[in-house]
Amino acid sequence: MLSHPEQFERLRAACPQAAHTAVLGGDPCFDRMLAARPYRERFRRALGVRPGQRLIVLNSTWNPQSLFGNGGEYDVLPWLLERLTSELAADEYRLAAVLHPNLWHGHGVGQIRTWLDRACRSGLTLIDPLDGWRQALTAADAVIGDFGSVSYYAAALGLPVLLGAASGEVLDPDSPVGAFTSQAPRLNPGAALRPQVERLLAGHPQPVGPAELTSSVPGQAGALLRHLFYELLALPEPTHPALLGPLPLPGYQPADITVPLRVLTRVLGPAQVVVTRYCDPLHEPAGEGGIHTAVHEDTLDPGLLDLADVVFRHGPATDHRLGSPAQWTAEVLARHPQCALAAYADGPGSCTVRTRAGQLLTLNAAPETTADPAVYASALLAVLAADGSRDEPCVLDALAAGGLTVRTGASAHTVSLTLLR
């Protein structure tokens, strides 16, 4: 069963006695991804990709020379994920990983999750290797991978691909995959990762072969395969169209960041702040303006809460285990006397905040521009710290009257402030 005529010649060269059995059947997997393209934004929302974020999908095949290799501390992928999650701004990038099913089977779910634990606490989502990888590619902005089929499919879909591992030893150099891996841009592990990702997204030259050679009959696999099956069975083929099942929408999988965040803030005016957050960075972020630490209450190391300027969490406003947002914020500030703000995000674009001075307020953003609401709490802290010449009530009254603009990367979020007396 072949998807492109070029494979016939390679089959004749490799196994001439099988050549007479070959038929052109297209690629149903590729066809399903092509059919899912109009629903890309739905898949992005399912993966928790916020407006303005870029989704980077990392993938590894099953081979000692792949991106994951044999697993363990010396393999590329665990190390790469830790660097990516610390170097890429958390509100500008979303990370997901697709690992070959044999990696999960060979090492075990517990071992894989142990190796990638820090990356997952930094917002990485592990994609189901059987039922979710096509949806992840449909939603992706770019892919970092190796010589496996997921990278090739990504290139065929027109996504920019950066190879972190590419072996010429395990591939036929005359095959389309061999040609692709020899031409695709390579990741430089010794250089900063963010500039490489930005160049990739900006239009790094990509091989053209995958789009042409994945299937010579895109969209026709269902009809071709059904015709062949009924012909082999010597049965009349049904007259209704042969249709492939659409890719199902996956469950909601937002980023779950519980590592400490180092937050760079730059106040551009009395009501405009640029916020850049990094997940437990390996080095102190460089940039103009102020810097503080924001920590999720469910962090793995509770001792980090005693160092936090902002303590936050996400949850429904009616979680009786935590009490009301007003009660929770009061408890946090009482428990952590060095904390300047406590923020309870109780909606996709809203959070309840209590300041060290005791003022309770809500921050709400327009739904179409929402970021993680904890970003707005960090922006508010920056405004309060920058305007030390004025009393906090005066600053808050001004923000309540005119609102606050929070910038994350290229996105601007209009945030309204309501004081709760």
Side-chain angles (χ1 to χ4, degrees):
M1 185 68 63
L2 306 179
S3 66
H4 196 284
E6 67 86 19
Q7 298 162 13
F8 284 87
E9 295 303 320
R10 289 194 290 118
L11 177 61
R12 290 190 185 95
C15 187
Q17 62 269 37
H20 71 281
T21 70
V23 294
L24 183 69
D27 188 326
C29 178
F30 187 54
D31 286 357
R32 293 179 77 197
M33 287 189 281
L34 291 177
R37 279 177 161 177
Y39 308 102
R40 180 173 183 266
E41 289 303 319
R42 293 183 184 177
F43 293 120
R44 289 173 68 82
R45 288 194 292 268
L47 285 169
V49 181
R50 298 178 181 273
Q53 279 188 314
R54 277 81 64 87
L55 172 61
I56 310 299
V57 173
L58 296 97
N59 78 89
S60 176
T61 190
W62 171 250
N63 187 282
Q65 299 177 57
S66 68
L67 198 61
F68 203 94
N70 287 315
E73 61 178 319
Y74 299 110
D75 287 308
V76 176
L77 188 59
W79 162 86
L80 177 62
L81 285 170
E82 288 197 7
R83 282 193 55 195
L84 281 171
T85 54
S86 68
E87 292 185 32
L88 298 180
D91 300 298
E92 299 173 40
Y93 291 91
R94 177 82 172 89
L95 294 175
V98 175
L99 306 181
H100 193 284
N102 285 352
L103 285 170
W104 291 95
H105 177 74
H107 298 300
V109 173
Q111 183 62 78
I112 293 289
R113 292 193 177 278
T114 297
W115 282 328
L116 302 183
D117 174 68
R118 183 186 177 279
C120 289
R121 289 185 289 110
S122 299
L124 173 77
T125 292
L126 294 174
I127 301 297
D128 186 295
L130 297 178
D131 298 326
W133 68 270
R134 300 171 188 83
Q135 292 90 327
L137 283 189
T138 303
D141 291 288
V143 168
I144 299 176
D146 54 22
F147 48 88
S149 59
V150 175
S151 297
Y152 194 79
Y153 273 126
L157 291 170
L159 294 171
V161 178
L162 193 63
L163 295 184
S167 173
E169 301 175 13
V170 297
L171 297 173
D172 177 359
D174 294 328
S175 70
V177 178
F180 164 69
T181 56
S182 68
Q183 299 169 22
R186 301 294 178 90
L187 179 78
N188 180 359
L193 298 179
R194 178 165 182 165
Q196 297 183 69
V197 172
E198 290 176 343
R199 285 196 298 272
L200 183 70
L201 290 165
H204 198 296
Q206 296 285 319
V208 297
E212 299 174 353
L213 298 175
T214 297
S215 174
S216 63
V217 283
Q220 300 179 47
L224 290 170
L225 292 174
R226 190 181 72 176
H227 177 76
L228 172 66
F229 298 156
Y230 275 89
E231 186 176 60
L232 291 173
L233 290 166
L235 292 174
E237 185 177 357
T239 58
H240 58 76
L243 303 174
L244 298 172
L247 292 180
L249 198 63
Y252 185 48
Q253 303 173 76
D256 188 14
I257 299 175
T258 58
V259 298
L261 291 154
R262 288 297 276 166
V263 185
L264 286 173
T265 58
R266 186 158 51 96
V267 179
L268 303 180
Q272 188 170 169
V273 187
V274 178
V275 180
T276 310
R277 304 190 303 171
Y278 295 94
C279 295
D280 195 16
L282 303 176
H283 305 285
E284 189 73 345
E288 300 178 358
I291 188 167
H292 65 263
T293 299
V295 181
H296 194 290
E297 191 182 36
D298 288 339
T299 183
L300 184 65
D301 182 0
L304 295 171
L305 296 169
D306 292 330
L307 306 175
D309 301 289
V310 175
V311 174
F312 67 95
R313 75 171 302 123
H314 301 81
T318 56
D319 191 334
H320 298 294
R321 299 168 300 171
L322 300 171
S324 67
Q327 183 180 355
W328 178 87
T329 54
E331 290 176 353
V332 166
L333 292 180
R335 189 179 302 119
H336 306 290
Q338 82 300 324
C339 177
L341 284 179
Y344 187 100
D346 53 12
S350 63
C351 64
T352 299
V353 173
R354 189 182 295 273
T355 70
R356 173 53 60 187
Q359 176 64 60
L360 187 67
L361 55 102
T362 60
L363 298 172
N364 293 279
E368 66 273 10
T369 60
T370 46
D372 177 357
V375 172
Y376 309 143
S378 285
L380 177 62
L381 178 61
V383 172
L384 293 175
D387 211 339
S389 61
R390 299 172 62 191
D391 292 336
E392 179 179 294
C394 295
V395 177
L396 294 178
D397 284 340
L399 292 175
L404 177 66
T405 299
V406 181
R407 297 187 178 276
T408 56
S411 299
H413 316 275
T414 301
V415 181
S416 63
L417 185 149
T418 303
L419 302 179
L420 304 176
R421 304 296 184 184

